[in-house]
Amino acid sequence: MTRSRQETYDWYENATAAKAPRARAEALPATTDSRLQFGWWIAGVAFSSLWMLESWTHSFPSPNRVGGLAGSLWALLLSLSICYGIYKFSKVQSKAIATLLCVISAIVLLLHHATRV
């Protein structure tokens, strides 16, 4: 004898897992922070690429290319940490001023590196 199993779905009525999640209004602005972080990451990669390209083109004719590039990499890390420190220090006052100071310091450091190399 086979017995048919009766299933009840009464527990679905009160379950929160069966309901579709709703987007909250306060959760949406978090996407701008992730886009801002992505923008800073892209700007850092572009800055580093310009820095190392300038170092590579300047040290290309010299026989000791690797030593110059290692020194340039060390200077790049130092300049990135200076820009980060300026941003973090001035972010307390204003985020817009902090961004402006960070960009200006990065440009000044890159121009100084280009003329010094």
Side-chain angles (χ1 to χ4, degrees), residues 37-112:
Q37 294 297 326
F38 183 70
W40 278 111
W41 185 79
I42 293 294
V45 168
F47 177 76
S48 301
S49 299
L50 284 173
W51 187 285
M52 292 309 288
L53 181 68
E54 178 65 32
S55 300
W56 177 261
T57 55
H58 177 70
S59 66
F60 190 76
S62 76
N64 192 7
R65 215 180 352 217
V66 177
L69 289 178
S72 180
L73 182 64
W74 174 249
L76 170 66
L77 293 175
L78 185 63
S79 67
L80 286 175
S81 63
I82 287 171
C83 291
Y84 180 75
I86 288 172
Y87 179 76
K88 284 295 186 180
F89 183 73
S90 59
K91 185 179 172 184
V92 175
Q93 298 298 323
S94 171
K95 203 170 193 175
I97 292 174
T99 304
L100 183 67
L101 287 174
C102 180
V103 168
I104 288 172
S105 64
I107 290 170
V108 167
L109 287 168
L110 186 62
L111 289 175
H112 177 68

